[in-house]
Amino acid sequence: MVLAVMVRPLPKLSAREFWRVVLLINLVDLAFAVDSILAVVAFSKDLLLVFLGVALGILFIFIRLAAGYVVAVMERYPSLEKVAYALVGWAGVKLLLEGSATLAELLHRPELAWHLPKPVFWGVTFLILLGGSLLALREHA
């Protein structure tokens, strides 16, 4: 069976229309950040939680602003992508071990739980970050 797909060309946009869309996307992003701050304030009387919500809202705004810089660094040092994958994989190992501990607790079988001490997790994380970054910089040189 053959599917016929009608392909229409995309309309041509001017530079002004493009920047208008970019501005609207950023305004919507800012609105969601402010909305999350207001939601935390509305639902919690815990000052620490309110502060954390505000800090995270501001952090997300800065992350969006820093994305261009991160892309430039990744284009200059493409081997850093492997470091990022290694860090995400290592975090996955930690989550898997925490999941086994939760499962062991649910089954009332504490001997099935595997625990990863925090100093080990942070030490390996630092080694992956430092070692991988040094290798990526050395490959680029």
Side-chain angles (χ1 to χ4, degrees):
M1 178 160 129
V2 177
L3 282 174
V5 178
M6 184 185 300
V7 178
R8 290 184 287 168
L10 294 174
K12 300 285 183 186
L13 294 177
S14 68
R16 182 176 180 214
E17 292 168 326
F18 170 77
W19 288 112
R20 182 176 169 263
V21 170
V22 169
L23 177 66
L24 289 174
I25 290 172
N26 283 311
L27 286 174
V28 169
D29 188 44
L30 180 63
F32 278 118
V34 170
D35 178 57
S36 67
I37 292 169
L38 294 176
V40 169
V41 171
F43 286 109
S44 178
K45 302 294 183 210
D46 184 5
L47 185 61
L48 181 62
L49 189 60
V50 170
F51 176 76
L52 185 63
V54 170
L56 286 175
I58 292 170
L59 179 67
F60 289 143
I61 292 170
F62 283 119
I63 287 174
R64 183 160 173 95
L65 293 174
Y69 175 73
V70 171
V71 168
V73 170
M74 293 297 286
E75 286 175 349
R76 186 168 180 194
Y77 304 104
S79 296
L80 285 176
E81 184 178 356
K82 295 173 189 168
V83 177
Y85 282 127
L87 286 170
V88 169
W90 176 239
V93 169
K94 182 177 184 350
L95 289 173
L96 182 68
L97 293 176
E98 286 179 4
S100 75
T102 303
L103 180 62
E105 184 180 319
L106 289 172
L107 295 175
H108 303 291
R109 303 274 313 267
E111 68 275 5
L112 297 178
W114 294 5
H115 296 284
L116 184 65
K118 282 186 180 184
V120 171
F121 173 74
W122 287 111
V124 172
T125 301
F126 180 73
L127 286 176
I128 291 172
L129 188 60
L130 182 68
S133 298
L134 289 174
L135 286 173
L137 294 174
R138 196 174 102 194
E139 284 179 14
H140 182 72

